[in-house]
Amino acid sequence: MEDELYLENIDEFVTDQNRIVTYKWLSYTLGVHVNQAKQMLYDYVERKRKENSGAQLHVTYLVAGNLIQNGHICHKVAVVREDKLEAMKSKLATIASVHVYSIQKALLKDSGPLYNTDYDIVKTNLHNCSKFSAIHCAAAVPRTSAEVPQVQTSVQAGSQTPSDTNAVSVPVVNGHGPSTAKQTAQQPKGIMGMFAAKAASKPQDTNKETKAEAKEAPGVSAVSSKPPAKGNIMNNFFGKAAMNKLKVNSVPEQPKEEKEVVKPSVPVAEPESSPSPVVEKPGKKTESARIQQKDKKSKMKRMDKSDNEEERVPENLKKKRKRIKQLQSDSSDEEDVPPSPMPEEEKAPSPPPVPALKTELEPASTEVSAGGKKRKRKRVLKSKMFIDEEEGCMVTEKVYESESCTDSEDDFAKSKPPAAQKQPVLPMRKEPKEERKNLKKGAATANRANKQVSIMGFFQKK
Amino acid sequence: MFSEQATPTAQGLLAPPSAEASTFTRVPVLAYADCSQPFRLGERSFSRQYAHIYAARLIEMRPILEERARQKWGNGVALRKLCELRAGEKCCVVGTLFKAMQLQPSILQEISEEHNLVPQPPLPKYIHPSDELILEDELQRIKLEGAVEVQRLVTGTIFAVYGSEQDDGKFLVEDHCFADLPRPLPWNGPSSDRFVLLVSGLGLGSGSGDSLLSTQLLVDVVTGQLGAEGEQSCAAQISRVILAGNLLSQNTQSRDTINKAKYLTKKTQAASVEAVKMLDEILLQLCTSVPVDVMPGEFDPTNYTLPQQPLHHCMLPLASAYSTLQLVTNPYQADVDGIRFLGTSGQNVSDIFKYSSMDDYLEILEWTLLAGHISPTAPDTLGCYPFYKSDPFILTDCPHVYFCGNAPRFQSKLLKGEHGQQVLLVTVPTFSTTQTACLVNLRNLSCQPISFSGFGTEDDD
């Protein structure tokens, strides 16, 4: 019968499982009204004691009543052990209720375990915590879903806008929690996207030694799907030309490589358009300077970032990059082939703005190189051959010339435009360069030490 | 009294299970109106000086005080402004009180280089025998002496003094008066027993589990899980629960992120996060059964200055799903079932406690009611928003229940006014230390403490 069933259950809980069976716990477990649970516990205690007077059962009771204290009537509610029950009852002027609170095998020293039991069972039943209660409140209905969003819309509106920039700004901001998406302009979006891609791929590929081909332009464009094609274009020539100009001393090249590997597929997905690169250029200049600063910081604190799981870019971006990466890194051969058509494509629209941008960026780059990041300006020992006018002979000289390259892969793709630009620069720079050879040597060797050997070393610029 | 009718069936549950378990319906909300609109701040601008709030206070309270002065000292009493004072003439002046206190912490002194002072440690009371009272009005100020209790009064009180100016430029006070109780509100109370539970100082997140069981017992009594049937039916008459501040413990206020190095605190969560989660669960249990009003307190995650704005609902995702949860301001004013409640989380009273010789929280509470202002020490020693149009802390209507939270112990008093005002003054004790809450019976404005306890190893009674 039903009666016996609950007795057996309680018996099992108390003796076999050695649990503390509180009325609330029993009520939730058996799905009965709290008052019935209390009565069940009482019944169990009575029967057990009748059968077996030496039963190892400790009971706690709840006593509630009025107490005269300090001149006013205080209503007291107390959980007491069985041995203190009568003492408490005698203290109260009037008793409002007495019932069994819990049954357990062991003697409880204090009421802590009772609280824990109740807490656990309530926690697991939070959604219907008043189901078995003796009071039912008609007003306690959950708000309809229509009302709730009204309160939350304003909160969400701010946070939903560029979630991609969210991803971007997260790694960029130094070691702090994910900052709110600040950049809403499209231009910065594109630039930030570029950084997002780089930063995201960083943790993934820190181990990888794969070198990307020269993908400066497509490499730089944002991987995240959101940035518009406009931003892409900017990133394109930003990567190509600007990276030539802007050099960083200490920034490792590896992240750039990875980024570039990742990038190539994205431009394929996004259609290219050339709205007005010129207009965007000045904007980009300042942005690039700023971004480079941030990027440097982000690189410096890469250790920080790897610690902070919360600051990881969103899952989707990560996955996307992973996917793209795998396409690229399958075999080194493939690396060359797919990317190489890319840069040529990119270069087609971009060469016209590139030289202009280069000249613009040059002054900017000199300022930025102090704190610069991805784009390095290195002094590279090169042998130059020219015809000496005076003596009418060919002279081959080893000179240090300053060139900007993100890594060796950049050299490959940039060979055409940078080479064209460098020629006029060279004669002016030669003398000072020779003087500063010693200084540059150190820098160059340092750069070379930082730089990792890559397969693209074969395609070094002469 | 609560649960008196429960006595006959007290032992009813010491019996084998009955077939049907009775369920009681919570008394429905007869009438509820939130009157704390003046305490809600919209756009906040802190680019104002605090002088405006004093000006607004004086302008608003001057007519009331002049009326009182006429009542007390006759219709013919001369009401003068300070600039119109003539030496030796007996007159009445209405102004703002300023108490010059030697021990009052002053930021200017602290940062002054010439004094080279170490910042003063916080004292329980900042009164000193050498304190002086100064009366200010719109244009001038004058030192007061005579029949004024310097120690009892605090800065910011508007009151009227009757006396005369002396030759030395001080004002000799013969008598003074306050604004007294504001006009009474009509009585619309319920005819049957209805209770409102006042709790304050839950102190979650304190790291010590002493009061956790008591908190759970409180929730269980209110939601009708605990107690025999009689008690449960009485608990069903609790129509509202007001949590008056300090839901979180002071321990959650540690500012490790400021003091410690970043690498130590990088991944540590603020202590208040866990505490708020616990609060959310407790509120959920309460909200499924009874309407709850949650007031923020000194240690709660909301703004510091009075009036404190409601806690944000995003912190309480589980409980905010229920419309029975109301997040309200501190101070809080509402019409509950026809009874006007007004109360704070205790910052105003504890601040007056620090700067005056009054020791009893109930006495201070009564004094603020008689002075006609909830917290006169704001903005001088208690943080306050720079109001300029009006001072929302001025009492315009006399509440029926006037409470303050986080008091050291439970006290209550029924104050009767000359014009038929009846006010129940309640000091709600801090639950985390006293495990006591207050039950206010709306039918007859009586209050009863309700306390909870578990048992411990040292229990001997």
Side-chain angles (χ1 to χ4, degrees):
Chain A
M1 271 302 288
E2 233 176 70
D3 293 350
E4 306 308 317
L5 202 57
Y6 74 79
L7 287 173
E8 278 171 19
N9 286 337
I10 298 175
D11 196 38
E12 186 190 328
F13 295 139
V14 175
T15 41
D16 300 341
Q17 297 179 9
N18 209 6
R19 278 182 189 274
I20 299 176
V21 181
T22 60
Y23 75 93
K24 207 191 276 188
W25 189 91
L26 192 69
S27 151
Y28 279 114
T29 314
L30 297 183
V32 293
H33 193 276
V34 283
N35 289 350
Q36 282 180 330
K38 294 168 198 165
Q39 286 168 330
M40 284 177 187
L41 286 177
Y42 175 77
D43 199 25
Y44 173 78
V45 171
E46 288 297 300
R47 288 195 196 203
K48 192 82 184 209
R49 291 213 169 131
K50 247 192 289 185
E51 292 167 21
N52 177 10
S53 56
Q56 180 70 296
L57 269 187
H58 289 100
V59 191
T60 58
Y61 289 88
L62 180 100
V63 185
N66 286 337
L67 183 70
I68 311 284
Q69 202 175 52
N70 298 339
H72 44 239
I73 301 174
C74 172
H75 189 81
K76 187 135 177 80
V77 177
V79 178
V80 291
R81 283 199 295 257
E82 198 171 6
D83 43 355
K84 304 282 194 299
L85 176 62
E86 292 306 317
M88 179 59 83
K89 273 160 84 171
S90 59
K91 261 207 305 186
L92 298 173
T94 58
I95 299 174
S97 51
V98 181
H99 64 76
V100 177
Y101 192 87
S102 77
I103 302 179
Q104 56 277 337
K105 238 174 44 174
L107 177 69
L108 289 178
K109 291 269 173 57
D110 66 81
S111 39
L114 294 175
Y115 171 72
N116 291 336
T117 315
D118 280 345
Y119 179 77
D120 290 335
I121 195 69
V122 167
K123 189 113 191 223
T124 48
N125 288 303
L126 269 181
H127 52 281
N128 58 347
C129 43
S130 274
K131 194 166 162 192
F132 304 112
S133 161
I135 297 180
H136 172 73
C137 179
V141 285
R143 279 189 233 259
T144 55
S145 50
E147 295 168 13
V148 167
Q150 286 170 10
V151 191
Q152 293 177 347
T153 37
S154 56
V155 176
Q156 280 184 353
S159 61
Q160 282 306 326
T161 46
S163 50
D164 59 320
T165 56
N166 228 348
V168 180
S169 51
V170 163
V172 170
V173 175
N174 175 15
H176 295 196
S179 51
T180 51
K182 358 175 205 148
Q183 288 88 0
T184 45
Q186 282 190 349
Q187 294 184 2
K189 223 198 236 185
I191 295 170
M192 289 321 227
M194 161 178 71
F195 283 87
K198 181 166 48 117
S201 51
K202 248 188 268 182
Q204 299 171 22
D205 306 333
T206 39
N207 306 332
K208 293 190 188 165
E209 303 289 315
T210 52
K211 293 281 182 178
E213 289 67 15
K215 320 286 154 286
E216 72 292 6
V220 170
S221 67
V223 175
S224 50
S225 47
K226 279 93 168 198
K230 198 177 184 180
N232 237 359
I233 288 295
M234 278 191 308
N235 285 324
N236 289 347
F237 63 74
F238 182 86
K240 255 200 282 194
M243 281 160 119
N244 292 342
K245 293 297 147 207
L246 307 168
K247 289 186 183 171
V248 173
N249 288 331
S250 55
V251 173
E253 293 173 347
Q254 199 184 6
K256 280 187 244 165
E257 298 156 11
E258 294 145 10
K259 173 176 54 80
E260 279 141 25
V261 171
V262 175
K263 300 304 173 79
S265 56
V266 176
V268 181
E270 290 175 51
E272 281 190 7
S273 60
S274 41
S276 52
V278 183
V279 175
E280 295 160 353
K281 255 186 287 176
K284 273 207 94 100
K285 201 177 12 166
T286 48
E287 305 282 13
S288 65
R290 192 164 34 90
I291 288 149
Q292 300 238 329
Q293 300 276 354
K294 284 183 198 160
D295 193 41
K296 180 185 191 178
K297 277 189 229 143
S298 67
K299 284 195 180 163
M300 295 301 216
K301 303 282 163 69
R302 206 183 313 155
M303 298 308 284
D304 256 1
K305 267 178 244 138
S306 58
D307 289 346
N308 248 322
E309 290 85 31
E310 296 92 346
E311 295 170 2
R312 285 288 141 260
V313 294
E315 288 291 306
N316 53 353
L317 277 165
K318 211 176 179 178
K319 281 183 199 146
K320 191 172 184 174
R321 287 200 196 94
K322 257 199 188 122
R323 191 163 37 87
I324 295 164
K325 257 228 86 45
Q326 276 155 20
L327 284 174
Q328 294 303 323
S329 57
D330 274 344
S331 71
S332 54
D333 293 334
E334 284 180 12
E335 277 179 329
D336 294 355
V337 176
S340 47
M342 297 284 93
E344 274 138 29
E345 271 179 35
E346 311 292 0
K347 273 186 218 161
S350 30
V354 161
L357 177 64
K358 268 191 238 169
T359 48
E360 279 181 29
L361 285 172
E362 232 186 295
S365 64
T366 47
E367 305 155 18
V368 177
S369 59
K373 331 295 153 238
K374 310 193 285 202
R375 289 141 208 76
K376 282 197 266 194
R377 173 164 279 164
K378 299 196 310 236
R379 296 274 167 199
V380 180
L381 184 64
K382 298 214 168 138
S383 32
K384 294 277 165 206
M385 199 169 71
F386 58 93
I387 296 180
D388 194 345
E389 307 289 304
E390 279 176 71
E391 303 188 19
C393 61
M394 285 173 63
V395 180
T396 307
E397 261 186 340
K398 281 202 184 260
V399 296
Y400 278 98
E401 56 174 35
S402 163
E403 70 174 14
S404 98
C405 56
T406 52
D407 18 64
S408 48
E409 288 70 48
D410 288 337
D411 296 351
F412 171 62
K414 288 180 215 151
S415 54
K416 274 190 271 177
Q421 201 228 359
K422 284 219 167 75
Q423 298 303 339
V425 177
L426 266 177
M428 292 178 282
R429 283 201 183 158
K430 241 194 323 180
E431 273 84 24
K433 259 190 255 170
E434 283 157 14
E435 285 165 10
R436 287 179 283 164
K437 247 185 215 175
N438 294 335
L439 296 169
K440 295 312 150 198
K441 213 175 203 167
T445 44
N447 285 343
R448 286 208 201 96
N450 291 344
K451 216 167 145 178
Q452 293 191 9
V453 177
S454 78
I455 197 167
M456 293 314 299
F458 286 122
F459 303 94
Q460 271 288 4
K461 236 183 329 208
K462 286 194 282 289
Chain B
M1 281 289 116
F2 182 74
S3 72
E4 250 172 15
Q5 68 248 46
T7 323
T9 54
Q11 318 239 14
L13 291 179
L14 293 172
S18 48
E20 273 299 315
S22 38
T23 311
F24 307 97
T25 321
R26 170 89 50 202
V27 287
V29 173
L30 278 181
Y32 173 77
D34 184 12
C35 307
S36 48
Q37 274 317 111
F39 301 122
R40 286 193 189 247
L41 300 171
E43 290 262 318
R44 281 166 245 188
S45 157
F46 286 90
S47 57
R48 276 191 293 272
Q49 297 252 340
Y50 282 103
H52 303 289
I53 189 176
Y54 285 117
R57 200 182 285 180
L58 185 58
I59 288 171
E60 217 173 309
M61 291 190 75
R62 185 182 278 279
I64 304 168
L65 277 160
E66 287 179 349
E67 183 58 40
R68 289 271 175 268
R70 284 195 202 98
Q71 283 176 7
K72 193 160 181 184
W73 301 308
N75 272 329
V77 68
L79 293 164
R80 295 263 182 267
K81 295 224 165 115
L82 283 177
C83 50
E84 300 161 357
L85 276 186
R86 278 176 297 199
E89 184 200 7
K90 286 221 191 294
C91 58
C92 162
V93 186
V94 175
T96 315
L97 196 62
F98 178 77
K99 189 153 110 174
M101 301 177 77
Q102 186 191 26
L103 291 177
Q104 181 176 353
S106 162
I107 187 68
L108 294 175
Q109 274 185 356
E110 275 179 35
I111 60 175
S112 158
E113 279 158 9
E114 38 187 67
H115 290 195
N116 278 338
L117 282 181
V118 179
Q120 191 185 7
L123 295 173
K125 274 198 185 291
Y126 292 101
I127 54 176
H128 194 268
S130 68
D131 295 338
E132 288 179 335
L133 285 179
I134 295 161
L135 189 72
E136 293 184 1
D137 70 0
E138 293 92 345
L139 299 170
Q140 293 183 357
R141 49 158 46 186
I142 193 166
K143 267 214 185 103
L144 294 179
E145 56 185 15
V148 273
E149 295 158 342
V150 181
Q151 299 300 328
R152 267 180 71 95
L153 297 169
V154 287
T155 305
T157 322
I158 311 278
F159 76 151
V161 286
Y162 182 74
S164 57
E165 187 186 355
Q166 300 302 294
D167 294 330
D168 60 357
K170 296 194 191 168
F171 193 92
L172 185 64
V173 178
E174 289 168 25
D175 200 2
H176 66 277
C177 82
F178 294 102
D180 211 8
L181 292 175
R183 60 165 192 260
L185 282 173
W187 175 265
N188 286 327
S191 48
S192 59
D193 273 348
R194 260 165 187 267
F195 296 95
V196 170
L197 183 71
L198 294 170
V199 195
S200 88
L202 284 179
L204 299 171
S206 65
S208 84
D210 294 345
S211 68
L212 286 177
L213 179 68
S214 306
T215 314
Q216 191 58 51
L217 290 176
L218 172 76
V219 172
D220 287 343
V221 166
V222 173
T223 55
Q225 314 222 357
L226 214 56
E229 291 195 346
E231 178 140 12
Q232 286 167 342
S233 71
C234 293
Q237 291 170 336
I238 297 177
S239 71
R240 198 158 206 96
V241 175
I242 299 180
L243 296 175
N246 281 359
L247 309 155
L248 265 48
S249 149
Q250 190 173 14
N251 296 349
T252 60
Q253 296 278 296
S254 72
R255 303 288 293 274
D256 273 352
T257 46
I258 291 182
N259 300 335
K260 282 193 184 168
K262 185 124 177 102
Y263 71 95
L264 287 173
T265 58
K266 202 167 165 60
K267 282 205 202 163
T268 52
Q269 227 178 28
S272 49
V273 175
E274 267 310 309
V276 169
K277 277 196 207 148
M278 223 186 312
L279 174 69
D280 195 22
E281 284 160 16
I282 290 177
L283 283 178
L284 176 67
Q285 292 176 53
L286 279 175
C287 286
T288 50
S289 178
V290 66
V292 183
D293 295 337
V294 182
M295 290 167 62
E298 193 183 342
F299 306 126
D300 293 327
T302 183
N303 60 318
Y304 163 74
T305 53
L306 285 189
Q308 282 184 301
Q309 298 303 292
L311 298 172
H312 201 277
H313 68 87
C314 71
M315 287 194 287
L316 309 166
L318 298 170
S320 331
Y322 286 86
S323 55
T324 43
L325 180 75
Q326 287 242 320
L327 298 166
V328 296
T329 56
N330 168 34
Y332 175 52
Q333 186 169 250
D335 276 329
V336 179
D337 295 340
I339 306 290
R340 173 68 68 94
F341 274 72
L342 172 63
T344 64
S345 300
Q347 290 113 315
N348 56 332
V349 176
S350 61
D351 200 58
I352 296 174
F353 174 86
K354 276 193 263 184
Y355 291 95
S356 85
S357 61
M358 294 189 275
D359 279 328
D360 192 14
Y361 269 56
L362 192 69
E363 187 188 347
I364 297 173
L365 198 63
E366 187 178 346
W367 183 85
T368 58
L369 194 61
L370 294 173
H373 199 276
I374 297 175
S375 69
T377 52
D380 185 41
T381 45
L382 187 60
C384 177
Y385 175 74
F387 293 103
Y388 69 104
K389 283 205 189 119
S390 67
D391 186 350
F393 299 116
I394 296 173
L395 290 163
T396 47
D397 300 313
C398 190
H400 296 118
V401 179
Y402 185 46
F403 64 91
C404 86
N406 298 300
R409 61 182 208 279
F410 167 78
Q411 284 169 292
S412 84
K413 178 175 167 181
L414 191 61
L415 187 68
K416 290 204 166 40
E418 306 170 332
H419 303 277
Q421 299 105 328
Q422 262 200 84
V423 190
L424 174 68
L425 301 168
V426 185
T427 56
V428 187
T430 312
F431 193 83
S432 53
T433 50
T434 58
Q435 282 92 46
T436 310
C438 308
L439 275 170
V440 177
N441 189 343
L442 299 181
R443 179 176 59 87
N444 54 10
L445 278 190
S446 64
C447 185
Q448 187 185 20
I450 178 167
S451 66
F452 305 86
S453 66
F455 56 88
T457 48
E458 69 287 338
D459 233 353
D460 50 28
D461 49 5

